[in-house]
Amino acid sequence: MNAAEQAKSIAIVSKIAAVVNLFHSQFPEVLTDFNPWVKNSETTQFDDPHSIDLAFHFSQRSFACQSRCILMQIRLPGAMPTHSPRVIGVELSGHGGFGQQWRFSTTGHWEFCGLTPPLPDAQRKLRQIGLKTLQLFDLLTLQS
């Protein structure tokens, strides 16, 4: 579900803002989209009420990330409490002119898969964003 729609309390808004700052600390050139899903018949199948979805757009295709846009989906365990939201994982996917180029998930082996995965340095940065997002939502303690 669009992050803008999930922002129902100060706690959630502050965690979303912190995630955006994490992403911008690694990729300062991106623009953040708090409403990546357009409400139409084609996208309703992706509307998951148990996620916080953000998109990060590069002004041109990022060679390092092998994409023009990165979709971030912060997966929630079910009905999200407004006071202390927790997550079960983070999924990132890179998209370009030919659709999805790669996918990454913090559940499983933390590996990138797809046609054109990001370059190694960008992969390191994206893994770090995933780890810090999990820590932010208190899923992981000081594990680096």
Side-chain angles (χ1 to χ4, degrees), residues 66 93-94 100-104 111-118 123:
Q66 297 292 326
S93 56
Q100 183 174 299
Q101 301 300 301
W102 55 264
R103 187 168 195 78
F104 168 79
E111 297 295 324
F112 287 82
C113 60
L115 298 172
T116 52
Q123 287 186 23

Side-chain angles (χ1 to χ4, degrees), residues 47-93:
D47 192 14
D48 180 0
H50 306 299
S51 71
I52 300 171
D53 300 346
L54 300 156
F56 299 94
H57 300 273
F58 295 95
S59 61
Q60 348 181 350
R61 184 176 183 274
S62 166
F63 178 73
C65 290
Q66 297 292 326
S67 58
R68 176 95 191 242
C69 171
I70 296 175
L71 176 65
M72 174 184 242
Q73 297 179 289
I74 303 167
R75 299 288 180 191
L76 307 170
M80 185 166 62
T82 56
H83 59 283
S84 181
R86 296 180 62 89
V87 297
I88 57 175
V90 175
E91 294 181 11
L92 299 170
S93 56

